[in-house]
Amino acid sequence: MASAASGASGASAGAGPRPPRILVLHGPNLNLLGRREPEVYGTTSLAAIDAALRRRAATSGVEVDTFQSNHEGALIDRLHEAPGRYRGVILNPGGYAHTSVALRDAVAAVVGLGVPVIEVHLSNVHAREPFRHRLLTAGACRGVISGLGVWSYLLALEALLAADGPGGLPAEAAAPAS
């Protein structure tokens, strides 16, 4: 984690050091949040989720960049841009979680380059249809948070904000016991 965090906070030309940044990727159909199956996904819009993440991150001096796409390749391209730019990624792969080996491999590549990725789902995918129980992308991620609505995103953000130690652990948890 330390290498990604230091790379993401490097100086920019003439503007001084940039604050650390976290990337939030929203997969297919999440652009319809607030209107799509509110009994499953709630009534909070994607814009409201993004705003909540930005507000919380700002209190820790961190910026949040968000991106939503219904296209697998666009999500993969954004993941590939993460090393050296972001201290972590929050990924809601939507339905691609259940189908995309390519997205799973992109997550594994980015994690291997030192950027922790936390997968989130608004609904509890394990309490839904059986085809949603298998998460191809989850095995490549640092962790998975599912079923807590907007809190899934906010808890992932808290984990990434705390992940300043080796291996993406909070520094106090990574310190040797004395």
Side-chain angles (χ1 to χ4, degrees), residues 114-151:
V115 180
V117 177
I118 299 178
E119 181 170 324
V120 299
H121 296 276
L122 293 165
S123 67
N124 180 353
V125 294
H126 298 289
R128 298 183 61 195
E129 303 93 330
F131 70 86
R132 296 184 193 277
H133 299 175
R134 184 173 148 205
L135 300 172
L136 294 179
T137 48
C141 292
R142 177 93 174 102
V144 178
I145 302 172
S146 175
L148 301 177
V150 176
W151 280 101

Side-chain angles (χ1 to χ4, degrees), residues 5-175:
S6 61
S9 62
S12 60
R18 292 193 65 171
R21 295 166 38 197
I22 291 174
L23 177 62
V24 180
L25 295 176
H26 307 284
N29 301 310
L30 293 167
N31 54 310
L32 299 177
L33 283 179
R35 298 179 290 145
R36 172 190 176 216
E37 300 173 87
E39 69 281 3
V40 175
Y41 300 105
T43 57
T44 304
S45 70
L46 188 61
I49 291 171
D50 289 345
L53 290 167
R54 286 190 176 99
R55 279 193 306 273
R56 171 57 191 100
T59 65
S60 295
V62 173
E63 291 181 353
V64 169
D65 292 337
T66 63
F67 178 75
Q68 187 279 327
S69 180
N70 296 321
H71 305 280
E72 183 179 37
L75 296 167
I76 291 169
D77 287 344
R78 289 293 177 122
L79 271 170
H80 288 176
E81 295 172 3
R85 296 180 68 187
Y86 295 99
R87 69 183 284 177
V89 177
I90 298 170
L91 170 66
N92 185 341
Y96 287 136
H98 318 294
T99 62
S100 179
V101 173
L103 187 58
R104 183 246 180 257
D105 288 350
V107 170
V110 171
V111 169
L113 293 171
V115 180
V117 177
I118 299 178
E119 181 170 324
V120 299
H121 296 276
L122 293 165
S123 67
N124 180 353
V125 294
H126 298 289
R128 298 183 61 195
E129 303 93 330
F131 70 86
R132 296 184 193 277
H133 299 175
R134 184 173 148 205
L135 300 172
L136 294 179
T137 48
C141 292
R142 177 93 174 102
V144 178
I145 302 172
S146 175
L148 301 177
V150 176
W151 280 101
S152 295
Y153 282 95
L154 292 169
L155 291 171
L157 177 62
E158 292 300 328
L160 291 174
L161 292 173
D164 55 359
L169 294 171
E172 66 273 7

